[in-house]
Amino acid sequence: MVKLKLAFPRELRLLTPSTFTFVFQQPQRAGSPQITILGRPNTLGHPRLGLTVAKKYVKRAHERNRIKRLTRESFRTRQHDLPSMDFIVIAKKGIADLDNCALTETLDKLWRRHCRLVPAS
């Protein structure tokens, strides 16, 4: 039995402005009123994650950190089910009103939608 690694190492993150720009150019979108996930296929063989949680929509730092932490956790546990894409999770107005359970469920629904959007290769 093969044990899947569920780590979130540096190579699974979008780190540079150029990688963010790449995704913003021609993204596939999956969204809800509080959150949008943009994705664009990459050639790396694994998914990567970038996060944007603006102060404009989430005033308090501990709330922004909670949202980012839950988003990273959701990505970490689903990474082996996701297609080889670069994803950017964008927090929108009202996301701070979601409790942890609602936020996790919303993210799971959006990850599933991205899996369906990708053509089978």
Side-chain angles (χ1 to χ4, degrees):
M1 189 168 132
V2 178
K3 180 143 173 44
L4 293 176
K5 284 200 169 113
L6 293 177
F8 187 56
R10 194 170 169 86
E11 55 266 17
L12 295 184
R13 301 178 192 166
L14 295 180
L15 299 169
T16 62
S18 61
T19 55
F20 275 80
T21 304
F22 171 75
V23 178
F24 282 129
Q25 282 169 352
Q26 293 177 319
Q28 289 181 350
R29 296 172 185 272
S32 75
Q34 299 88 3
I35 197 162
T36 298
I37 300 179
L38 305 177
R40 186 160 180 202
N42 67 32
T43 56
L44 301 170
H46 58 80
R48 295 190 300 176
L49 178 70
L51 294 166
T52 61
V53 184
K55 277 187 196 176
K56 178 178 178 181
Y57 300 130
V58 187
K59 298 281 188 251
R60 298 180 183 271
H62 67 91
E63 281 290 321
R64 289 194 301 277
N65 293 340
R66 175 183 71 92
I67 291 161
K68 290 190 276 190
R69 187 171 57 247
L70 286 168
T71 304
R72 282 193 297 266
E73 180 67 8
S74 172
F75 176 82
R76 186 184 71 80
T77 56
R78 307 263 332 216
Q79 65 187 356
H80 297 290
D81 303 327
L82 294 171
S84 295
M85 294 178 78
D86 292 342
F87 294 103
I88 298 178
V89 176
I90 302 170
K92 298 194 290 195
K93 193 171 184 155
I95 192 167
D97 301 332
L98 295 177
D99 64 359
N100 291 359
C101 187
L103 181 58
T104 303
E105 284 174 11
T106 303
L107 286 166
D108 282 345
K109 187 173 78 179
L110 296 175
W111 292 130
R112 281 195 302 273
R113 199 176 301 161
H114 263 293
C115 288
R116 282 197 311 269
L117 286 172
V118 174
S121 49

